[in-house]
């Protein structure tokens, strides 16, 4: 595998880094922005989830747009939108401006998540395609790691003695720092070539051959040229693609597989955990500072197990990784549900005296009242203190009031992240980039990604409501049971695509 291909795959998938960074950053940002703008659960959910709703549109049209204009041009536009979103978010003066800025970022990462694996698959040799496409997921988890580390440092140095960082501006710095990788991404994209398979589709044969020779060298490029030309000959007499073509009997099986994996990746709650990581750790009572540092641990696990995925994906195959990972996800989420179900909450006068905010004395009427669920406890806190004061001090309150086995929750969350990082995270995008014939690839990946993003957005939007109305234990139990059912569905339908050319996969799975 040439260094040129590795460089191209890394640069193109930097959009994934920015997605991971944006997703990780918001979990810390909302600890400060929610009380500043006095947001309700619904408003908090919308700020967090609005990029994913925007990504739905981008995912639906970006694949088709890239078929017309080219993968590279759309990716350059994506990098520009990332930079614009970072600037607008940092200077947001209202709730409305904040979610509009994040919607712009959502358009960027929606397109990037579709186009990067598509482009990489189109320049990669079959034997290394899995690990090269998985670089996208590696960049995503590096983005999470960078974000959680950045949040931890900003939170650490936001002290009462600091004149530079305060509760009013620290979240703006958290958001604004994303501008740096966005500008690097924009510049680096000018160093990658156009997709050779896209050039063939546009009948730019000579240019495509030059690109293939630059990427693979003379010997390998000749083989790739033959493979591509044979596939294009087979497609020549077929009609142009329209959306209703996706419902053809010949495409039905791969469409179902794509939909199952695309839905399962998000409906098990991964972005609820990533986007609300700081809030989730606060629920265990470990405190605000420990919640931020736990986020760094979470993202470190993501990085480690993404490397595991890259090592195994072309050795073990796509199917075993997906099945083992989904079983582990189900077990981990159910462990979290079990741990939260045993939590109790109680404030004593000594514990209230440990709280260092002005309104803490208002909690004295609740002294020695014991709660066996988090819903009633948090509702009483909000009624007593007011929503804004509670949101600003929830970490400290939960730290002194909560009695539960926080270690089990941490094990469950880290187990979930680890299993996702070597299975549904990277393998879904690898599988989608392989399953669909080149003629339908842009449209089919766009449609699956649209549904994937819709599920992600809904999970993010309702997660604060779920925690508030259903409680921690029930919320994680629902996610765990969905993963449990998903395992058995995939056990029945998943094909294996390891080591096969894109054209060979089409011959095996698309029945005319």
């Amino acid at each position: 595998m040439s260094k040129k291909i590795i460089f191209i795959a890394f640069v193109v998938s930097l959009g994934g880094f920015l997605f991971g960074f944006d997703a990780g950053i918001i979990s810390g940002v909302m600890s400060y922005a929610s009380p500043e703008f006095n947001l309700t659960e619904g408003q908090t959910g919308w700020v967090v989830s609005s990029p994913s709703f925007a990504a739905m549109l981008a995912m639906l049209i970006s694949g088709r747009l890239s078929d017309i204009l080219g993968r590279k041009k759309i990716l350059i536009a994506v990098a520009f939108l990332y930079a614009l979103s970072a600037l607008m978010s940092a200077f947001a003066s209202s709730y409305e401006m904040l979610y509009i800025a994040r919607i712009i970022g959502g358009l960027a990462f929606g397109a990037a998540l579709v186009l990067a694996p598509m482009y990489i698959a189109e320049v990669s040799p079959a034997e290394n395609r899995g690990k090269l496409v998985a670089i996208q997921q590696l960049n995503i988890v590096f983005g999470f790691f960078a974000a959680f580390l950045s949040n931890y440092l900003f939170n650490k140095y936001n002290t009462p003695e600091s004149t530079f960082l305060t509760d009013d501006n620290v979240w703006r710095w958290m958001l604004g720092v994303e501008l740096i990788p966005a500008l690097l991404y924009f510049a680096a994209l000018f160093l990658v070539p156009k997709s050779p398979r896209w050039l063939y589709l546009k009948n730019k044969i000579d240019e495509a051959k030059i690109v293939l020779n630059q990427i693979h060298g003379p010997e390998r490029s000749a083989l790739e040229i033959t493979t591509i030309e044979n596939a294009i000959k087979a497609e020549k007499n077929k009609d142009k693609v329209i959306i209703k073509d996706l419902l053809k009997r010949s495409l039905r099986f791969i469409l179902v597989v794509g939909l199952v994996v695309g839905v399962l990746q998000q409906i098990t709650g991964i972005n609820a955990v990533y986007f609300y990581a700081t809030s989730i750790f606060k629920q265990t009572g470990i405190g605000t500072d420990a919640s931020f540092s736990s986020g760094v641990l979470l993202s470190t696990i993501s990085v480690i197990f993404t490397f595991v995925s890259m090592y195994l994906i072309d050795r073990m195959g796509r199917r075993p990784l997906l099945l083992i990972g989904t079983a582990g996800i189900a077990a981990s989420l159910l462990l979290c549900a079990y741990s939260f179900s045993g939590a109790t909450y109680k404030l004593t006068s000594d514990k209230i005296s440990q709280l260092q905010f002005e309104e803490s004395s208002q909690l004295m009427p609740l002294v020695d009242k014991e709660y066996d669920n988090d819903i009633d406890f948090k509702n009483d806190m909000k009624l007593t203190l007011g929503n804004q004061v509670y949101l600003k001090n929830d970490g400290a309150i939960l730290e002194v009031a909560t009695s539960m086995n926080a270690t089990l929750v941490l094990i469950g969350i880290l187990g979930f992240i680890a299993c996702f990082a070597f299975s549904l995270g990277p393998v879904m995008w690898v599988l989608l980039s392989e399953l669909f014939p080149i003629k339908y690839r842009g449209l089919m990946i766009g449609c699956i990604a649209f549904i994937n993003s819709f599920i992600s957005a809904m999970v993010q939007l309702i997660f604060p409501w779920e925690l508030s109305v259903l409680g921690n234990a029930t919320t994680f139990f629902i996610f765990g049971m969905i993963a449990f059912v998903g395992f058995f569905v995939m056990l029945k339908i998943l094909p294996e695509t390891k080591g096969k050319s894109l054209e060979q996969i089409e011959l095996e799975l698309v029945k005319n």
Side-chain angles (χ1 to χ4, degrees):
M1 184 165 52
S2 71
K3 291 180 180 178
K4 179 80 171 174
I5 292 178
I6 297 172
F7 172 77
I8 289 170
F10 182 78
V11 168
V12 169
S13 60
L14 278 175
F17 176 90
L18 286 158
F19 163 68
F21 194 89
D22 186 83
I25 281 292
I26 201 64
S27 71
V29 166
M30 297 315 293
S31 294
Y32 294 101
S34 287
E36 175 158 337
F37 294 127
N38 193 22
L39 303 183
T40 64
E41 283 90 358
Q43 289 172 324
T44 298
W46 178 242
V47 170
V48 173
S49 66
S50 56
S52 293
F53 281 104
M56 288 162 46
L57 174 63
M59 286 177 162
L60 190 62
I61 65 173
S62 59
R64 194 65 181 145
L65 268 179
S66 75
D67 287 343
I68 299 167
L69 301 175
R71 310 339 182 190
K72 180 176 175 177
K73 284 183 181 177
I74 304 299
L75 285 169
I76 289 171
V78 160
F80 174 78
L81 290 177
Y82 267 129
L84 179 62
S85 173
L87 273 177
M88 288 182 63
S89 298
F91 287 100
S93 57
S94 66
Y95 157 66
E96 291 77 13
M97 185 174 174
L98 181 59
Y99 74 68
I100 289 170
R102 288 184 50 71
I103 284 172
I104 293 171
L107 292 172
F109 77 65
L113 291 181
V114 169
L115 296 182
M118 184 191 304
Y119 176 98
I120 295 167
E122 291 176 354
V123 300
S124 304
E127 65 271 16
N128 293 308
R129 188 172 56 246
K131 63 173 67 76
L132 285 169
V133 174
I135 290 177
Q136 162 103 330
Q137 184 66 21
L138 181 64
N139 267 319
I140 290 173
V141 297
F142 271 131
F144 278 116
F145 177 79
F148 282 115
L149 181 61
S150 174
N151 277 348
Y152 169 73
L153 293 172
F154 276 120
N155 182 70
K156 180 181 179 180
Y157 292 106
N158 173 31
T159 62
E161 296 78 28
S162 172
T163 55
F164 176 64
L165 292 175
T166 67
D167 285 356
D168 294 331
N169 72 14
V170 65
W171 62 272
R172 298 182 184 277
W173 284 100
M174 288 177 176
L175 289 167
V177 76
E178 187 179 347
L179 179 64
I180 298 170
L183 292 176
L184 287 174
Y185 182 41
F186 181 81
L189 281 169
F190 288 95
L191 302 177
V192 304
K194 295 175 182 177
S195 163
R197 279 176 167 83
W198 177 81
L199 289 169
Y200 260 99
L201 285 179
K202 293 300 177 183
N203 208 30
K204 298 181 179 180
I205 311 300
D206 292 337
E207 188 178 350
K209 288 179 178 178
I210 291 170
V211 170
L212 285 166
N213 192 57
Q214 289 173 343
I215 295 173
H216 298 293
E219 189 176 329
R220 182 63 196 231
S221 65
L223 179 62
E224 292 290 324
I225 288 167
T226 302
T227 304
I228 294 169
E229 288 180 348
N230 288 340
I232 288 173
K233 281 178 188 175
E235 293 286 338
K236 246 181 185 177
N237 298 322
K238 296 183 181 178
D239 298 328
K240 287 187 177 179
V241 177
I242 55 176
I243 285 186
K244 72 176 184 179
D245 289 342
L246 304 189
L247 302 177
K248 286 180 179 178
R249 182 181 296 272
S250 60
L251 299 176
R252 193 171 297 166
F253 174 70
I254 57 174
L255 182 61
V256 168
V257 172
L259 281 170
V260 167
V261 179
V263 168
L264 194 62
Q265 193 208 45
Q266 291 299 331
I267 205 168
T268 50
I270 185 62
N271 280 342
V273 172
Y274 273 139
F275 284 52
Y276 294 98
T278 304
S279 297
I280 292 170
F281 287 125
K282 280 183 184 179
Q283 305 302 312
T284 66
I286 63 174
T288 299
D289 291 344
S291 296
F292 274 93
S293 59
S294 294
V296 178
L297 177 60
L298 177 152
S299 56
T300 303
I301 293 293
S302 290
V303 172
I304 292 169
F305 280 89
T306 300
F307 276 114
V308 171
S309 169
M310 293 180 69
Y311 177 77
L312 293 176
I313 195 165
D314 287 319
R315 291 174 171 82
M316 185 182 288
R318 287 57 161 153
R319 178 181 163 91
L321 286 182
L322 282 171
L323 293 176
I324 294 168
T326 304
I329 285 170
S332 299
L333 290 169
L334 292 173
L335 176 62
C336 289
Y338 170 76
S339 305
F340 276 121
S341 68
T344 58
Y345 306 85
K346 183 178 178 181
L347 285 170
T348 64
S349 54
D350 287 342
K351 288 176 178 177
I352 292 173
S353 67
Q354 295 172 27
L355 298 173
Q356 297 180 351
F357 60 94
E358 191 176 326
E359 299 86 351
S360 60
S361 59
Q362 296 174 22
L363 296 172
M364 292 305 292
L366 301 176
V367 164
D368 293 333
K369 183 176 181 180
E370 189 162 352
Y371 301 81
D372 61 3
N373 69 84
D374 56 301
I375 304 170
D376 292 340
F377 176 74
K378 285 183 279 190
N379 284 341
D380 275 3
M381 294 301 104
K382 291 173 186 176
L383 282 172
T384 304
L385 296 172
N387 186 65
Q388 190 170 24
V389 173
Y390 174 72
L391 287 177
K392 198 167 186 177
N393 300 283
D394 60 341
I397 294 169
L398 288 166
E399 184 176 6
V400 299
T402 305
S403 176
M404 67 175 294
N405 191 336
T407 304
L408 278 183
V409 175
L410 182 61
I411 291 170
I413 294 293
L414 295 182
F416 175 31
I417 294 300
C419 291
F420 183 88
F422 74 76
S423 63
L424 282 170
V427 180
M428 185 200 83
W429 294 109
V430 174
L431 204 60
L432 292 187
S433 69
E434 295 174 328
L435 281 178
F436 306 128
I438 187 170
K439 181 177 178 180
Y440 302 99
R441 191 171 299 144
L443 185 58
M444 291 189 86
I445 291 179
C447 288
I448 301 292
F450 174 84
I451 295 168
N452 174 272
S453 187
F454 175 75
I455 299 296
S456 171
M458 291 304 299
V459 167
Q460 295 166 47
L461 179 63
I462 68 173
F463 188 69
W465 174 88
E466 284 182 295
L467 292 183
S468 178
V469 175
L470 302 179
N472 300 322
T474 302
T475 299
F476 280 95
F477 179 77
I478 291 169
F479 286 141
M481 289 308 297
I482 290 170
F484 182 76
V485 172
F487 168 81
F488 288 101
V489 175
M490 290 201 300
L491 184 66
K492 185 172 179 61
I493 69 169
L494 268 184
E496 182 56 81
T497 57
K498 179 185 72 169
K500 300 172 183 177
S501 71
L502 298 179
E503 291 72 26
Q504 184 184 354
I505 294 167
E506 179 179 346
L507 283 173
E508 292 179 4
L509 299 181
V510 178
K511 307 299 182 185
N512 295 317

